[in-house]
Amino acid sequence: YLVPVSLSALQHIKAFYNATWSQRYGHGLASGPLTLLYSLTVSIFALGGLVGSLLVGVLVERYGRNGTLSRSALLILLAGAFMGFSRELGSPEMVIIGRSITGLHSGRCRRAVHRSFLMPCIFICLGVFFAQLLGLPELLGKDKFWPLFLSVVVVPASLQLLLLHCFPESPRYLLIERNDVCRATEALHRFLGTPNVQDVIKEMKEEQRSLSSVEMVSVWQLLRDRSVCWQTLSVVVVNAGMQLSGIDAIWFYTNTIFENAGIPVSQIPYTTVVTGAIEVVAGLIGCFTIEKLGRRPLIITGFCAMGICLAGITVSLLLQTALPWMRYVSVACVVGIIAGFCMGPAGVPFLMTAELFMQSHRPAAYIVGGSLNWLCNFTVGFIFPFLQMSAGAFCYLVFCGVCLLVALYVYRIIPETKNKTFMEINHIFA
């Protein structure tokens, strides 16, 4: 669900923007406006994601999850066409529009599918890894291929569109929200592969009765509810901290970081692929250890590791002129940041949001956390190039401070939620 701007394609896109501007107006773009367009291309994905996540509730209620995902996949085909033909038509605007539509699709998919630790952690890592792999010069990393590279998003979207028809609608959606027992039973037969699903149907009906007696809280009511104020603040801190940790700056601008660290340009694509593979391994470690270690150790360790490595990048960039071997410290710190993120902060905030609230407050909490997540994603993607230009190596200390403060907050305020009921968690907060 996450297909970032190709790290190897970014320089080609900047060259395309500059050449197009020169053809239109007779002069190239200055450094500031070019950086602005470049930043907008990277960050507009998150604004699309925010809009998509806010619309998905209405769409799921009207079309169901499969219907929402199918319509969303059709949007990606449109986005792929915009980005794929942008160079032929000499239109940077088509790249930006295509990126925003891709974000819209991602926002819808992220909210429409079941939330878990596995989904945001493993599949974000896989998405980034495959983008890095395809961005190698031997594949689609050359200048002439960047429009094709960006339009590769149509491949998984087309597969999604084709395969969704092979699967029934969500049994919980059919029974709880549509009250369609027959179709829910048929869906369970196919999913579980057993004719006896009456126990599951009975559990769903009990859940339906319990939900019908619960009055759902709005976002405004959640923010005003003093009984869950610490839980709400915790959702704000961990979700905002997840993006303000600087992980998006690392993902979107890895090539620039490695180039500033003195890595030869020809070796940078291969270095980023190695970091992508480490991301996947770290995500798997976090996924398979979360139930054993708990939520707090993973998220605290992850943020602390990220903070230390961000400080390490700053030191290594400042000293690499005097000590050439410091460039390797920079690479190691980038790997440490990504590994720390994937082991905890990538997925724990989603799981924690569900566990801190009862059912009546949970949808509003997800809206608050998800909206902050997308907004902070946009903010970092947009301002990081300007922050890097103005502060140089010291720009990473901003993210270092955020990571360490979030780790301290979780350590002091948020209890372990593993195997605890909402009432137990609420009592600890109180």
Side-chain angles (χ1 to χ4, degrees):
Y1 89 93
L2 175 65
V3 182
V5 170
S6 160
L7 296 174
S8 59
L10 282 173
Q11 297 303 319
H12 304 317
I13 293 173
K14 289 175 74 173
F16 164 65
Y17 286 176
N18 200 34
T20 303
W21 197 268
S22 181
Q23 290 173 2
R24 289 182 183 181
Y25 304 106
H27 60 86
L29 278 164
S31 177
L34 182 59
T35 302
L36 182 65
L37 276 177
Y38 169 75
S39 301
L40 184 62
T41 303
V42 171
S43 59
I44 196 69
F45 174 90
L47 282 188
L50 173 61
V51 174
S53 66
L54 293 176
L55 291 176
V56 74
V58 177
L59 294 172
V60 168
E61 185 176 348
R62 178 176 295 181
Y63 302 114
R65 284 169 174 77
N66 282 6
T68 300
L69 293 172
S70 297
R71 286 164 174 79
S72 196
L74 290 173
L75 277 179
I76 278 291
L77 301 182
L78 177 63
F82 269 106
M83 294 185 289
F85 291 103
S86 58
R87 184 169 61 181
E88 295 297 323
L89 299 176
S91 175
E93 297 85 356
M94 291 176 68
V95 179
I96 297 172
I97 292 170
R99 284 280 298 165
S100 64
I101 295 174
T102 305
L104 185 70
H105 166 75
S106 296
R108 287 183 178 184
C109 290
R110 181 167 165 177
R111 288 280 311 276
V113 299
H114 179 68
R115 299 175 183 91
S116 67
F117 180 80
L118 179 67
M119 183 277 291
C121 186
I122 300 301
F123 290 102
I124 287 177
C125 294
L126 286 173
V128 175
F129 174 68
F130 284 121
Q132 293 165 339
L133 192 63
L134 288 173
L136 291 174
E138 292 81 1
L139 298 174
L140 299 178
K142 296 180 180 178
D143 178 57
K144 63 180 179 180
F145 290 138
W146 70 258
L148 176 62
F149 186 83
L150 292 185
S151 62
V152 163
V153 293
V154 304
V155 175
S158 299
L159 287 173
Q160 175 179 301
L161 198 59
L162 291 171
L163 294 176
L164 277 173
H165 296 288
C166 302
F167 297 96
E169 183 58 83
S170 162
R172 291 185 75 260
Y173 167 78
L174 292 171
L175 195 147
I176 295 175
E177 298 184 37
R178 290 297 186 189
N179 202 29
D180 191 336
V181 179
C182 292
R183 289 180 63 197
T185 303
E186 292 174 4
L188 284 171
H189 285 321
R190 291 191 61 185
F191 280 126
L192 300 179
T194 175
N196 185 15
V197 296
Q198 293 308 309
D199 290 341
V200 182
I201 292 290
K202 183 179 178 181
E203 289 179 8
M204 287 185 180
K205 286 183 176 180
E206 290 176 359
E207 184 179 355
Q208 184 186 39
R209 283 192 293 270
S210 65
L211 289 175
S212 64
S213 63
V214 174
E215 183 180 352
M216 293 300 175
V217 171
S218 68
V219 172
W220 180 241
Q221 289 172 321
L222 174 70
L223 296 176
R224 296 181 61 190
D225 190 343
R226 295 179 63 85
S227 66
V228 291
C229 62
W230 280 106
Q231 288 94 317
T232 304
L233 180 60
S234 298
V235 166
V236 169
V237 169
V238 296
N239 280 278
M242 176 183 174
Q243 299 298 339
L244 296 179
S245 65
I247 188 62
D248 289 312
I250 299 297
W251 266 336
F252 289 135
Y253 302 103
T254 300
N255 281 16
T256 305
I257 294 168
F258 286 164
E259 189 174 341
N260 291 340
I263 303 297
V265 175
S266 61
Q267 299 300 315
I268 288 176
Y270 306 98
T271 309
T272 57
V273 168
V274 173
T275 62
I278 293 171
E279 291 173 45
V280 177
V281 173
L284 288 170
I285 292 172
C287 175
F288 291 114
T289 59
I290 187 170
E291 292 304 327
K292 183 177 181 180
L293 299 177
R295 285 65 163 143
R296 289 179 80 250
L298 283 180
I299 197 167
I300 292 171
T301 303
F303 274 118
C304 285
M306 292 177 74
I308 292 169
C309 289
L310 283 160
I313 285 183
T314 303
V315 173
S316 62
L317 291 177
L318 291 173
L319 297 179
Q320 69 180 14
T321 303
L323 303 171
W325 56 269
M326 275 290 179
R327 68 181 62 178
Y328 301 109
V329 175
S330 294
V331 175
C333 287
V334 168
V335 173
I337 291 166
I338 293 173
F341 179 77
C342 291
M343 287 183 67
V348 172
F350 298 100
L351 190 61
M352 196 172 281
T353 300
E355 294 177 338
L356 291 180
F357 294 92
M358 66 177 69
Q359 181 60 38
S360 59
H361 292 63
R362 202 168 291 152
Y366 269 119
I367 292 174
V368 171
S371 299
L372 274 171
N373 205 298
W374 286 114
L375 283 172
C376 293
N377 186 314
F378 170 79
T379 302
V380 173
F382 189 77
I383 69 169
F384 178 73
F386 300 99
L387 183 62
Q388 193 176 42
M389 288 168 61
S390 60
F394 294 101
C395 68
Y396 300 103
L397 292 181
V398 176
F399 304 124
C400 170
V402 170
C403 289
L404 296 180
L405 287 173
V406 173
L408 179 62
Y409 178 89
V410 175
Y411 177 76
R412 293 295 303 272
I413 302 297
I414 302 180
E416 178 57 64
T417 57
K418 185 184 74 170
N419 297 330
K420 287 187 173 65
T421 65
F422 168 77
M423 296 307 297
E424 290 172 332
I425 294 170
N426 196 45
H427 178 71
I428 296 171
F429 271 113

